[in-house]
Amino acid sequence: MVSSSRAPAPSRIRIGSAPDSWGVWFPDDPRQVPWQRFLNEVSEAGYEWIELGPYGYLPTDPARLADETGRRGLGVSAGTVFTGLHHGPGVWERTWAHVSGIAALTRAMGAGHLVVIPAFWRDDRTGEVLEDRELTAEQWRDLTTQTERLAREVRDRYGLRVVVHPHADTHIDGAENVGRFLDATDPDLVSLCLDTGHYAYCGGDSVELIETYGERIGYLHLKQVDPEVLARVVADEVPFGPAVARGVMCEPPGGVPALEPVLAAARALDVDLFAIVEQDMYPCPPDKPFPIARRTRDYLRSCGGPRRPGVPTDPRRNDGPVGRRRNDAPVDPPGNGAPTGPHRAG
């Protein structure tokens, strides 16, 4: 918990986005936008940082990916993996085979974080119940100890910090389970990727979480839910995938939580953070050529986020270099200005 006799220095928050906001859940899907369009548009929208998204969507050759991102002025903040560590040591080898390749690419791109999303207890497309919604005491022990093991290996081998992402339809979801998980894991190894949309989806208060477990917040996903759609989704017990199709995740500032107090609470921490702006969506509607872009960027400016004028180019272009190379250390002083299984990033 946060307690200090001195006033912490304000955090530096770096804003980015991710393929998920362009409706990308899979490495390859004909309904998804080409990766060139994603890179072009996220740069044109004024973001300077991206996540890798589902492994294989963006080029996996580090030299090529560095060229494609570098000439668009983009840096990589994190990679994403899916795990089922509550199943115990028996899944370790399979888990590590999945994690190691993604961690290697993430590190090669100069990123410092690996976002870890726990396994879903029901299929997010079909709604099929895959296992019990509640973990046993033994499964909780396996989840926490194996997560610490993963974090240690990722840190020692690749120099990356594991940030665990509470997610709808997983066993780490709302306030009770997030608190239980954090209290049972080593803060020197395991941090949290707070996704404001997923946490609100599961009934949590992001500001309260930051104020209670400030030292465990290692990364942010800035996301909002439509409260009216959410109420119907909860009442009808709709799985996460169909809920997304109903529009439960919306583009800021159209939903909750308000991001102003979240960012204010984050800035009160004595830590630098990435904040990845997202709207869960699959696939991207064909009439939405520039997802989570200008309006969201302006909203973040109004919240006091970093400001950089967007590059005025055609958002419908699908290939070719866009924009210009930018400073690799954006700061936000006043007035300056991102599934189930191992296939998508949320």
Side-chain angles (χ1 to χ4, degrees), residues 22-282:
W22 272 251
V24 175
W25 282 14
F26 303 95
D28 185 27
D29 187 305
R31 295 192 292 170
Q32 295 177 171
V33 302
W35 61 266
Q36 294 94 337
R37 172 182 157 180
F38 161 68
L39 290 180
N40 288 347
E41 292 187 359
V42 74
S43 176
E44 292 160 9
Y47 298 104
E48 299 187 353
W49 299 93
I50 61 167
E51 292 183 355
L52 293 177
Y55 185 72
Y57 173 66
L58 295 175
T60 57
D61 174 66
R64 184 184 182 193
L65 184 56
D67 176 67
E68 296 287 354
T69 55
R71 60 196 179 96
R72 293 171 170 89
L74 296 169
V76 175
S77 61
T80 303
V81 298
F82 286 79
T83 60
L85 295 171
H86 64 288
H87 292 297
V91 301
W92 174 259
E93 294 301 325
R94 184 171 74 236
T95 300
W96 186 249
H98 166 59
V99 168
S100 57
I102 299 172
L105 178 61
T106 301
R107 188 60 203 167
M109 294 305 298
H113 297 84
L114 191 67
V115 178
V116 174
I117 300 179
F120 286 56
W121 58 265
R122 64 178 170 185
D123 189 278
D124 69 342
R125 289 184 292 172
T126 68
E128 176 189 0
V129 175
L130 305 173
E131 55 185 306
D132 287 345
R133 185 170 188 166
E134 302 295 332
L135 295 180
T136 65
E138 181 180 0
Q139 288 174 318
W140 269 109
R141 284 193 297 272
D142 285 334
L143 173 61
T144 55
T145 58
Q146 293 301 302
T147 300
E148 289 176 336
R149 179 184 181 186
L150 183 71
R152 185 178 295 107
E153 291 291 328
V154 166
R155 180 196 64 188
D156 293 348
R157 298 192 188 200
Y158 298 103
L160 300 175
R161 182 182 186 185
V162 159
V163 286
V164 176
H165 182 322
H167 198 292
D169 283 2
T170 75
H171 298 105
I172 306 176
D173 47 11
E176 180 178 357
N177 286 334
V178 169
R180 181 174 182 177
F181 175 78
L182 291 176
D183 290 342
T185 49
D186 184 348
D188 291 334
L189 289 172
V190 180
S191 298
L192 203 70
C193 169
L194 169 58
D195 185 303
T196 59
H198 281 273
Y199 201 57
Y201 186 107
C202 300
D205 183 322
S206 291
V207 172
E208 182 179 7
L209 182 64
I210 293 171
E211 291 176 346
T212 305
Y213 289 99
E215 80 283 2
R216 304 298 296 274
I217 307 300
Y219 199 87
L220 294 173
H221 281 177
L222 300 179
K223 191 179 297 177
Q224 290 186 327
V225 295
D226 183 317
E228 294 184 1
V229 177
L230 179 62
R232 295 193 295 270
V233 162
V234 172
D236 297 341
E237 298 184 350
V238 177
F240 180 69
V244 168
R246 291 191 185 189
V248 70
M249 296 294 183
C250 59
E251 181 178 352
V256 297
L259 297 183
E260 296 97 325
V262 173
L263 287 168
R267 285 193 183 88
L269 305 174
D270 188 8
V271 63
D272 292 343
L273 291 170
F274 281 100
I276 304 303
V277 185
E278 292 185 321
Q279 178 188 4
D280 285 339
M281 183 168 46
Y282 171 78

Side-chain angles (χ1 to χ4, degrees), residues 315-339:
R316 295 179 184 269
R317 272 193 355 218
N318 286 340
D319 55 19
V322 173
R324 57 185 173 84
R325 193 165 187 85
R326 299 187 290 276
N327 189 329
D328 192 40
V331 189
D332 65 338
N336 288 346

